C-alpha cells in the first residue's frame, strides 16, 4: 500500500516490548474510539509483563464489540479502506481489525419523490448500516436475513441482500447472490443502477425491471410479501425484485388512506398514466381523420389553420416541457418556481399568439405531461414517454392502421418482457382474478391474506 495518501493514518507504539502498528482511515473512523483504544493499549505496559502472550493480551484489551482477526495482507487492506482499524503486532503472522466506522452522511429524512400526507417521514440514506437498521426496526423477525458482500475490483462496494428466510423463494435468492458474485467490474460508479444492469440484463428495453424505493415502510412491505431487497452502500435507493409493471404504479399514499379513498387515488393515477401514453396519439389521429370523431365531440381539433404541421407542434411542445424539467433539476428551488411561471405565462402564450402553436396542442401536451408526473415511478414515466413518441410517429405515417398496429405492438412488447423470469403484466397476463382485483381495488389489509404467487413464496399465507 502506498504512502502518498494523506487520509491513511498510522500510529506506532510499543506494548510489552513489541512494536504495534495501528492503521486507520481519516474520515471513515470515529476519532473518539481510536483515542480510547490507544489509551487501553498503552495502559497494558503498566499492568502486564508477559510479552510471550502479547497478541492475546492486546486483543483482550480492545474494548469494542466488533473485533475480528485478519489472516492476510489483502484482507487487511480491504478492511482498512472500508473504514476499519487494523492492528499489527511485531512477530505475529496475522492482524486484528476493529470496526469503528463512522461514515459521513445525512440523517434519515422523507424522500422527495415518495411523499405522503400521513405516514413515516424517515427515508433511506447513503449509509448502508443506517438503511439495514431502518428495515430491521420495522421487521423484528429473527428470520430476516441481511447478507453482505463486496463488488468491484477497485471500489469494493458493500452490497446487502435482504430477505425473510422462510418466505422468500430460495431459488430467487440464489440467483441474485450468484449474479452479484459474478459481477466483474472496476467499480460501481452509479451504485444501484449499475447493479440493476448487471442483474436483469435490460439492454435497450426502456421499461424498468426492478423497483426503486427510498421508503423503509415500502421495502418492509415487499419483504413480507416474499420479495428480495438489494441495498447498495452510497445509494439512498434500494432495489426491489422481482416486480411487475403494476408494482410501479402503486404509491404508499394509497395505503395511508381508507380503502375507498385509496381506490379513488389509484384509479385517478391509472387515468393519468393512460393519458400520458394514449391521449396525444388519439387526439392527433382525430386531427388527421376528422371523420372518425363522434358527433358528440366533433368540436375536437384545431379551429384554425397553422403554418406548422400539428405533429411538429406536438414534438416541439413535448421537447419544451422536457427542457423545463431539466432546467428545474439544475436550478435552485426558489428560482425554478419563478422559471416555471415565466415559461407558462410568457413563452406558452406568446408562442400561441405568434402562431407557433395552436391552443389545443398546448392543452393536450400539458395533460400528457401531468399524467407523466403523476406516475409514481420516474423510470416508468420515462419509458411511457418513449412509447407515446413511438405511437405519435406511427400515427403520423399510417394514421388509423398505424394507431391500431402501434398499440398492438406496444402491448405485445410489454407481454413478452420478463424480470427475473417474472411476467411483466402479471396478474393481467397470465390472468389471476384475485390478484388482479387487488390491483384495481385497494383492498383492506385484513382482507389481503395471501402473498403474491408471482414471487413463489414458501409460505403463501400471511400470518
Amino acid at each position: 500500500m502506498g504512502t502518498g495518501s494523506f487520509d491513511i493514518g498510522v500510529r506506532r507504539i510499543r506494548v510489552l516490548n513489541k512494536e504495534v502498528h495501528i492503521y486507520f482511515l481519516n474520515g471513515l473512523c470515529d476519532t473518539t474510539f481510536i483515542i480510547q483504544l490507544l489509551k487501553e493499549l498503552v495502559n497494558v505496559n503498566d499492568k502486564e509483563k508477559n510479552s510471550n502472550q502479547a497478541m492475546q493480551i492486546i486483543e483482550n484489551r480492545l474494548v469494542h464489540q466488533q473485533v475480528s482477526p485478519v489472516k492476510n495482507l489483502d484482507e487487511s487492506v480491504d478492511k482498512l479502506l472500508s473504514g476499519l482499524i487494523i492492528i499489527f503486532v511485531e512477530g505475529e503472522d496475522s492482524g486484528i481489525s476493529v470496526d469503528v466506522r463512522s461514515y459521513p452522511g445525512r440523517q434519515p429524512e422523507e424522500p422527495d419523490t415518495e411523499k405522503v400526507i400521513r405516514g413515516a417521514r424517515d427515508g433511506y440514506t447513503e449509509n448502508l448500516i443506517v438503511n439495514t437498521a431502518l428495515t430491521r426496526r420495522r421487521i423484528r423477525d429473527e428470520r430476516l436475513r441481511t447478507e453482505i458482500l463486496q463488488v468491484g475490483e477497485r471500489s469494493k462496494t458493500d452490497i446487502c441482500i435482504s430477505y425473510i428466510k422462510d418466505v422468500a423463494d430460495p431459488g430467487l435468492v440464489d440467483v441474485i447472490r450468484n449474479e452479484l458474485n459474478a459481477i466483474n467490474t472496476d467499480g460501481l460508479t452509479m451504485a444501484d443502477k449499475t447493479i440493476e444492469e448487471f442483474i436483469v440484463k435490460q439492454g435497450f428495453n426502456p421499461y424498468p425491471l426492478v423497483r426503486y424505493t427510498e421508503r423503509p415502510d415500502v421495502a418492509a412491505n415487499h419483504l413480507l410479501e416474499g420479495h428480495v431487497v438489494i441495498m447498495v452502500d452510497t445509494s439512498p435507493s434500494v432495489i426491489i425484485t422481482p416486480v411487475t409493471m403494476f408494482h410501479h404504479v402503486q404509491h404508499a399514499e394509497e395505503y395511508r388512506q381508507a380503502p375507498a379513498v385509496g381506490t379513488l387515488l389509484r384509479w385517478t393515477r391509472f387515468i393519468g398514466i393512460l393519458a400520458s401514453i394514449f391521449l396525444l396519439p388519439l387526439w392527433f389521429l382525430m386531427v388527421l381523420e376528422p371523420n372518425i370523431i363522434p358527433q358528440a365531440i366533433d368540436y375536437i381539433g384545431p379551429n384554425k389553420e397553422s403554418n406548422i404541421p400539428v405533429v411538429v407542434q406536438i414534438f416541439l411542445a413535448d421537447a419544451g416541457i422536457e427542457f423545463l424539467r431539466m432546467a428545474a433539476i439544475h436550478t435552485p428551488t426558489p428560482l425554478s418556481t419563478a422559471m416555471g411561471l415565466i415559461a407558462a405565462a410568457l413563452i406558452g402564450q406568446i408562442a400561441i399568439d405568434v402562431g407557433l402553436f395552436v391552443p389545443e396542442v398546448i392543452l393536450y401536451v400539458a395533460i400528457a405531461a401531468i399524467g407523466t408526473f403523476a406516475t409514481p415511478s420516474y423510470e416508468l414515466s420515462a419509458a411511457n414517454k418513449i412509447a407515446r413518441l413511438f405511437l405519435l410517429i406511427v400515427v403520423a405515417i399510417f394514421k388509423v392502421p398505424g394507431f391500431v398496429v402501434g398499440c398492438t405492438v406496444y402491448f405485445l412488447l410489454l407481454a413478452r418482457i420478463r424480470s427475473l423470469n417474472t411476467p411483466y403484466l402479471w396478474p393481467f397476463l397470465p390472468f389471476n382474478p384475485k390478484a388482479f382485483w387487488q390491483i384495481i381495488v385497494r383492498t383492506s389489509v385484513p382482507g389481503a391474506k395471501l402473498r403474491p404467487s408471482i414471487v413463489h413464496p414458501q409460505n403463501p399465507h400471511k400470518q
Side-chain angles (χ1 to χ4, degrees):
M1 182 171 58
T3 58
S5 299
F6 79 93
D7 58 341
I8 297 178
V10 59
R11 182 71 166 88
R12 299 176 177 88
I13 59 176
R14 292 196 67 85
V15 178
L16 300 177
N17 294 321
K18 289 184 179 291
E19 190 86 5
V20 177
H21 290 191
I22 303 171
Y23 295 90
F24 55 91
L25 203 64
N26 290 318
L28 298 185
C29 294
D30 193 322
T31 303
T32 306
F33 287 125
I34 297 176
I35 296 174
Q36 182 64 30
L37 292 175
L38 285 171
K39 287 181 179 179
E40 292 292 332
L41 294 180
V42 171
N43 290 337
V44 169
N45 292 320
D46 300 330
K47 300 178 181 179
E48 301 285 350
K49 301 298 181 184
N50 188 359
S51 61
N52 294 328
Q53 297 182 350
M55 187 69 168
Q56 292 80 0
I57 294 173
I58 290 173
E59 184 176 1
N60 191 54
R61 288 301 183 93
L62 296 175
V63 286
H64 198 271
Q65 75 273 19
Q66 290 183 309
V67 179
S68 59
V70 287
K71 299 299 183 181
N72 53 61
L73 185 59
D74 288 340
E75 183 183 359
S76 302
V77 172
D78 289 345
K79 289 191 174 183
L80 171 64
L81 296 177
S82 296
L84 281 70
I85 292 178
I86 305 298
I87 301 174
F88 293 117
V89 181
E90 179 186 353
E92 301 292 338
D93 58 359
S94 63
I96 304 172
S97 68
V98 185
D99 192 347
V100 293
R101 284 177 286 190
S102 180
Y103 290 161
R106 58 189 174 91
Q107 294 299 311
E109 55 190 28
E110 185 176 18
D112 289 334
T113 57
E114 297 178 90
K115 291 182 179 293
V116 293
I117 297 176
R118 300 189 185 278
R121 303 299 183 196
D122 57 346
Y124 287 127
T125 69
E126 290 77 12
N127 191 320
L128 182 63
I129 305 302
V130 172
N131 293 347
T132 55
L134 289 172
T135 306
R136 180 73 70 174
R137 184 180 180 187
R138 288 167 168 80
I139 305 179
R140 301 176 183 180
D141 187 351
E142 70 277 7
R143 289 156 293 193
L144 174 62
R145 298 290 184 262
T146 52
E147 301 179 9
I148 193 167
L149 50 91
Q150 290 186 330
V151 173
E153 184 64 28
R154 297 182 185 274
S155 67
K156 302 291 193 303
T157 305
D158 292 324
I159 298 178
C160 172
I161 307 173
S162 188
Y163 61 95
I164 300 179
K165 188 176 181 180
D166 65 335
V167 175
D169 179 14
L172 174 63
V173 176
D174 290 339
V175 167
I176 294 176
R177 187 187 297 116
N178 294 336
E179 290 286 348
L180 291 175
N181 287 325
I183 295 176
N184 184 16
T185 184
D186 275 355
L188 305 178
T189 53
M190 294 293 109
D192 47 1
K193 182 58 183 175
T194 307
I195 291 295
E196 176 199 347
E197 293 184 1
F198 273 105
I199 291 178
V200 298
K201 314 295 191 300
Q202 187 169 3
F204 282 95
N205 169 30
Y207 277 86
L209 302 182
V210 299
R211 180 182 180 183
Y212 290 100
T213 185
E214 296 183 35
R215 295 190 61 91
D217 49 2
V218 173
N221 184 68
H222 281 80
L223 284 170
L224 293 172
E225 288 184 347
H227 295 262
V228 177
V229 171
I230 303 172
M231 305 179 185
V232 184
D233 193 32
T234 72
S235 173
S237 301
V238 304
I239 298 173
I240 301 172
T241 187
V243 294
T244 67
M245 184 179 183
F246 296 103
H247 284 103
H248 295 281
V249 299
Q250 297 177 2
H251 192 273
E253 181 66 23
E254 299 166 5
Y255 295 91
R256 293 290 183 179
Q257 304 291 339
V261 178
T263 301
L264 175 63
L265 293 175
R266 183 173 293 184
W267 283 34
T268 305
R269 186 171 290 112
F270 286 167
I271 293 173
I273 294 172
L274 292 174
S276 69
I277 303 173
F278 298 106
L279 180 63
L280 262 176
L282 187 58
W283 174 80
F284 181 49
L285 177 63
M286 292 181 179
V287 172
L288 296 178
E289 298 284 353
N291 57 307
I292 68 172
I293 302 177
Q295 188 174 0
I297 55 173
D298 58 0
Y299 54 84
I300 287 180
N303 295 323
K304 61 180 181 178
E305 294 292 332
S306 175
N307 296 325
I308 301 177
V310 174
V311 65
V312 176
Q313 295 182 38
I314 293 174
F315 277 97
L316 287 176
D318 216 354
I321 290 179
E322 194 66 19
F323 291 157
L324 288 175
R325 185 191 67 81
M326 292 180 180
I329 293 175
H330 305 300
T331 305
T333 302
L335 298 179
S336 64
T337 303
M339 182 190 64
L341 293 174
I342 292 173
L346 296 180
I347 299 177
Q349 186 60 46
I350 292 174
I352 294 174
D353 292 340
V354 301
L356 183 61
F357 296 127
V358 296
E360 275 194 271
V361 169
I362 300 295
L363 171 65
Y364 290 108
V365 168
I367 294 175
I370 294 173
T372 298
F373 296 142
T375 306
S377 168
Y378 172 76
E379 293 79 13
L380 180 63
S381 67
N384 287 341
K385 180 175 291 187
I386 294 176
R388 180 175 74 233
L389 297 178
F390 164 74
L391 290 177
L392 282 170
I393 292 172
V394 296
V395 167
I397 298 174
F398 303 107
K399 299 182 180 179
V400 174
F403 182 78
V404 175
V405 174
C407 291
T408 304
V409 170
Y410 170 69
F411 180 76
L412 292 177
L413 288 176
L414 288 180
R416 68 185 298 271
I417 295 176
R418 302 182 75 85
S419 171
L420 292 176
N421 206 31
T422 300
Y424 202 55
L425 292 183
W426 185 91
F428 183 64
L429 282 178
F431 188 65
N432 185 317
K434 292 183 179 179
F436 189 69
W437 176 256
Q438 293 184 355
I439 292 295
I440 61 176
V441 176
R442 204 292 254 179
T443 56
S444 62
V445 174
K449 298 180 180 180
L450 295 176
R451 294 186 171 93
S453 60
I454 199 65
V455 297
H456 306 292
Q458 297 185 72
N459 183 359
H461 296 277
K462 294 182 179 180
Q463 297 179 0

